[in-house]
């Protein structure tokens, strides 16, 4: 706003207010959780890129597994439930000092489940192999329309619904149906 020498638009002002709220007023309540999330995501990217580079450059196997098959342990969902209960306690009795623990832990768990949601999305893209343009438009649509939190929700509910297994079963049933149509025709 100062650099442009003109007043900020309503949207710019709202963004500035959110950043001030997060980085000035509540950094102590959220900083560790945000840092953990950034380290987690950057580590996943780093391991994936390094693994691919090792495989392509040296012909070595690299680390076993792939990002798209990564999944947090099911028992971690109890941490989400505990944090939700503590969040409620913090809302009811704000003076008991739970806020830094609750918010940082909630952000760290959100990062874990966001990463899991991204892994489910990567698995779906790998399995279905849509054209690059379709995949890019779909990704932008998910982020724009549903927001980044949609990947957290997908990652969390993958605990109960096992989306990768359902996607694989759906693809196999589709292939079998296509093969049956060819044999009948």
């Amino acid at each position: 706003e100062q650099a442009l020498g003109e007043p900020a638009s309503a949207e710019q002002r709202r963004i500035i207010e959110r950043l001030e709220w997060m980085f000035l007023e509540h950094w102590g309540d959220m900083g560790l959780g945000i840092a953990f999330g950034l380290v987690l995501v950057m580590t996943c990217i780093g391991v994936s890129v390094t693994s691919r580079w090792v495989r392509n450059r040296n012909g070595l196997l690299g680390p076993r597994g792939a990002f798209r098959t990564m999944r947090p342990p099911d028992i971690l969902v109890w941490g989400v439930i505990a944090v939700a209960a503590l969040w409620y306690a913090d809302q009811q009795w704000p003076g008991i000092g739970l806020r830094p623990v609750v918010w940082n832990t909630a952000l760290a768990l959100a990062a874990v489940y966001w990463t899991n949601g991204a892994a489910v999305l990567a698995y779906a893209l790998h399995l279905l192999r849509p054209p690059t343009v379709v995949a890019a438009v779909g990704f932008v649509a998910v982020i724009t329309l549903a927001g980044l939190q949609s990947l957290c929700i997908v990652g969390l509910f993958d605990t109960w619904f096992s989306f990768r297994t359902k996607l694989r079963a759906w693809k196999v049933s589709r292939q079998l149906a296509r093969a049956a149509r060819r044999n009948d025709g």
Side-chain angles (χ1 to χ4, degrees):
E1 183 177 336
Q2 291 173 351
L4 296 174
E6 57 190 55
S9 69
E11 178 68 21
Q12 290 171 332
R13 189 75 228 142
R14 197 168 76 236
I15 292 170
I16 290 168
E17 287 170 2
R18 283 183 185 166
L19 290 174
E20 287 173 347
W21 181 88
M22 183 169 62
F23 289 112
L24 298 178
E25 297 173 31
H26 293 286
W27 183 251
D29 298 329
M30 301 178 357
L32 190 59
I34 291 171
F36 173 82
L38 291 172
V39 168
L40 175 67
V41 170
M42 296 311 293
T43 300
C44 288
I45 291 170
V47 168
S48 295
V49 168
T50 302
S51 176
R52 171 136 330 196
W53 180 78
V54 165
R55 277 187 240 128
N56 290 342
R57 175 122 168 108
N58 301 326
L60 301 174
L61 293 177
R64 278 189 271 159
F67 174 72
R68 65 183 172 268
T69 60
M70 183 273 319
R71 188 166 189 253
D74 289 345
I75 198 161
L76 192 61
V77 79
W78 288 103
V80 173
I81 294 166
V83 166
L86 290 173
W87 188 293
Y88 177 77
D90 179 54
Q91 295 301 310
Q92 294 299 310
W93 307 285
I96 60 176
L98 286 176
R99 182 159 293 165
V101 172
V102 171
W103 285 18
N104 280 304
T105 306
L107 286 167
L109 288 168
V112 168
Y113 284 109
W114 183 90
T115 306
N116 189 41
V120 170
L121 180 61
Y123 184 85
L125 292 174
H126 176 77
L127 186 70
L128 304 175
R129 300 197 189 279
T132 304
V133 171
V134 172
V137 167
F139 180 75
V140 169
V142 165
I143 298 303
T144 305
L145 299 174
L148 292 173
Q149 65 271 22
S150 62
L151 290 178
C152 290
I153 293 166
V154 168
L156 177 63
F157 281 91
D158 183 52
T159 303
W160 296 286
F161 297 114
S162 190
F163 294 126
R164 292 174 190 91
T165 304
K166 290 186 185 326
L167 280 167
R168 190 172 41 251
W170 176 78
K171 178 153 186 192
V172 168
S173 69
R174 208 173 100 197
Q175 289 171 335
L176 290 173
R178 195 177 306 147
R181 280 193 306 269
R182 267 186 271 156
N183 290 338
D184 290 343

